[in-house]
Amino acid sequence: MQGWLDALSRRLGLRFARRALAHAEAETRAAQDRLREAVDLLPEGIVILDPEGRYVLWNKRYAEIYHRSADLFAPGVKFTDTLRVGVARGDYPEAVGREEEWLAERFHKLMNPTGERHEQRISDGRWLMIEEKRTADGGVIGLRVDITAMKTQAEALADALHRVEAASRAKTEFLADMSHELRTPLNGVMGLVQALGATKLTKAQQGLVADILRSAGELDDLVGGLLDYGDAARAADASPPAPTHHVAAEAPVLRVLAADDNPTNRKVVELMLGAAGAEVISVENGQEAVEAWRRGAFDVVLMDLRMPVMDGLDAIRAIRRAEGPGLPRAPIIVISANTSPDDLAASADAGADRHIGKPLRAEELFQAITGVIAA
């Protein structure tokens, strides 16, 4: 009787055990299904690998992202095996021509994840952001995000910025051209009127000269306001103006080399400095200026910037290179209609000692010459 009861008890226990096991398996399957459903609902691609780099779990989005290789995904299959097939199919443009090296680098990065994000380009033109981290059991969980739209937007933004920069450069060049074209004749008018004012005139004539200079000054201010240049060059020279006789007294045989492609502007410089007793040698471009400087000793060089054949900046650089170590440094003053901060910086970088703007004023010129000679 006891044996029968023991057998019955064992059978009942086995039945309960089987029922409990079936229940546990059902709960496990339900949990797995819930996990699978939750993972499949994620908008990002998710893949989980075991410590040996074999597939454990992946979601629908991951399979969609790598649709050309999705038929190879299976639990227990090595990630590197599917990756190798993808490389052979040409799915990864960066691997072309260096397949084995690329596979080794990718596998090393996979098995030594740092969590650092990196980008991957797919052969169909899409871009992916990849992030991989180590799991508690030594496996790897990977995240894939399609960033193609973001890359496209970034490229569009970069293109837009490039166009803005190009437009800004065009604006700067336009302003520089306008400054040169407007201030060059204005420089001639003001310079010649100043020279006329230094001659013997009647009181009425002196009044007319003053009116012309005042009107020319107003026009210069208007041009400066329109071109948004201001008086950057003149602001740099804030010391009191030097009188004409001061230069003549210090250097009665002052030799000046003046380079300007505009004949009226050359005439203005010759009249201003000639009144102070200086000897002025005028040339029409930067190349002639360099050649003249090599031939004769000059106390100061006056250099326009915008000239044919060779511009003023290149001419200044050529002179500085030719001076060499141990030779005296030629004082060089830039006289230009372009007086923006960039123009001032360019003159200084080329090796100029001063930069004054047009329209040229006699007191500014004498002040600048006195300053560079005394330096």
Side-chain angles (χ1 to χ4, degrees), residues 126-286:
R126 288 177 298 130
W127 283 89
L128 305 177
M129 187 276 291
I130 297 178
E131 182 177 354
E132 293 164 336
K133 294 183 179 180
R134 182 74 68 186
T135 60
D137 65 352
V140 175
I141 181 169
L143 176 71
R144 305 290 190 274
V145 179
D146 190 328
I147 59 171
T148 306
M150 184 175 67
K151 292 283 286 187
T152 302
Q153 291 172 356
E155 291 173 359
L157 177 60
D159 182 62
L161 289 175
H162 176 73
R163 291 198 299 270
V164 169
E165 291 171 356
S168 178
R169 287 193 299 270
K171 175 187 174 183
T172 299
E173 292 172 2
F174 171 78
L175 292 177
D177 289 341
M178 288 301 97
S179 178
H180 184 268
E181 295 302 319
L182 293 173
R183 282 177 165 153
T184 295
L186 186 58
N187 178 69
V189 171
M190 293 185 70
L192 293 176
V193 173
Q194 288 180 78
L196 179 61
T199 63
K200 187 175 181 180
L201 301 174
T202 66
K203 195 167 186 179
Q205 291 171 332
Q206 291 175 353
L208 291 174
V209 167
D211 289 340
I212 295 172
L213 284 175
R214 183 169 55 254
S215 296
E218 292 173 356
L219 181 57
D220 183 33
D221 292 339
L222 177 61
V223 170
L226 290 174
L227 299 180
D228 196 27
Y229 271 152
D231 291 324
R234 296 190 180 102
D237 268 330
S239 52
T244 301
H245 65 80
H246 180 67
V247 176
E250 281 196 356
V253 289
L254 185 71
R255 293 192 78 232
V256 180
L257 173 61
D260 198 304
D261 63 322
N262 185 282
T264 303
N265 288 339
R266 294 196 299 271
K267 184 68 173 179
V268 167
V269 171
E270 292 168 1
L271 288 172
M272 287 182 178
L273 294 178
E279 178 188 354
V280 182
I281 305 299
S282 297
V283 295
E284 298 182 7
N285 58 63

Side-chain angles (χ1 to χ4, degrees), residues 17-182:
R18 287 174 178 170
R19 188 176 298 170
L21 179 60
H23 180 73
E25 289 176 346
E27 288 291 331
T28 299
R29 284 194 297 272
Q32 289 176 340
D33 290 342
R34 286 194 296 270
L35 175 61
R36 164 65 67 179
E37 183 179 3
V39 171
D40 282 339
L41 288 174
L42 293 175
E44 297 84 12
I46 301 292
V47 62
I48 299 176
L49 308 176
D50 67 14
E52 284 72 43
R54 295 175 299 201
Y55 286 99
V56 174
L57 178 68
W58 61 95
N59 66 352
K60 289 182 180 179
R61 182 57 182 148
Y62 183 85
E64 291 171 356
I65 289 173
Y66 295 106
H67 59 90
R68 286 171 56 88
S69 302
D71 59 313
L72 306 174
F73 300 159
V77 173
K78 287 188 175 181
F79 176 86
T80 51
D81 290 342
T82 63
L83 196 64
R84 186 175 295 275
V85 174
V87 168
R89 291 173 174 174
D91 293 343
Y92 306 101
E94 294 177 355
V96 176
R98 54 187 299 269
E99 288 79 3
E100 291 301 321
E101 183 181 358
W102 187 87
L103 282 167
E105 292 172 356
R106 183 70 187 93
F107 183 69
H108 176 77
K109 187 175 292 186
L110 173 73
M111 300 312 294
N112 299 275
T114 62
E116 183 179 354
R117 297 176 177 179
H118 62 278
E119 296 178 356
Q120 182 182 79
R121 185 161 60 97
I122 309 299
S123 59
D124 60 8
R126 288 177 298 130
W127 283 89
L128 305 177
M129 187 276 291
I130 297 178
E131 182 177 354
E132 293 164 336
K133 294 183 179 180
R134 182 74 68 186
T135 60
D137 65 352
V140 175
I141 181 169
L143 176 71
R144 305 290 190 274
V145 179
D146 190 328
I147 59 171
T148 306
M150 184 175 67
K151 292 283 286 187
T152 302
Q153 291 172 356
E155 291 173 359
L157 177 60
D159 182 62
L161 289 175
H162 176 73
R163 291 198 299 270
V164 169
E165 291 171 356
S168 178
R169 287 193 299 270
K171 175 187 174 183
T172 299
E173 292 172 2
F174 171 78
L175 292 177
D177 289 341
M178 288 301 97
S179 178
H180 184 268
E181 295 302 319
L182 293 173

Side-chain angles (χ1 to χ4, degrees), residues 274-335:
E279 178 188 354
V280 182
I281 305 299
S282 297
V283 295
E284 298 182 7
N285 58 63
Q287 182 175 312
E288 292 183 359
V290 175
E291 294 171 354
W293 174 82
R294 289 179 184 275
R295 291 193 301 267
F298 292 94
D299 297 298
V300 65
V301 178
L302 307 181
M303 191 76 70
D304 187 23
L305 290 186
R306 292 182 168 233
M307 295 182 289
V309 185
M310 178 186 288
D311 66 26
L313 294 179
D314 286 338
I316 295 171
R317 295 187 189 101
I319 291 174
R320 292 302 183 219
R321 286 194 302 269
E323 286 173 337
L327 295 178
R329 178 185 172 91
I332 300 177
I333 300 171
V334 168
I335 302 176

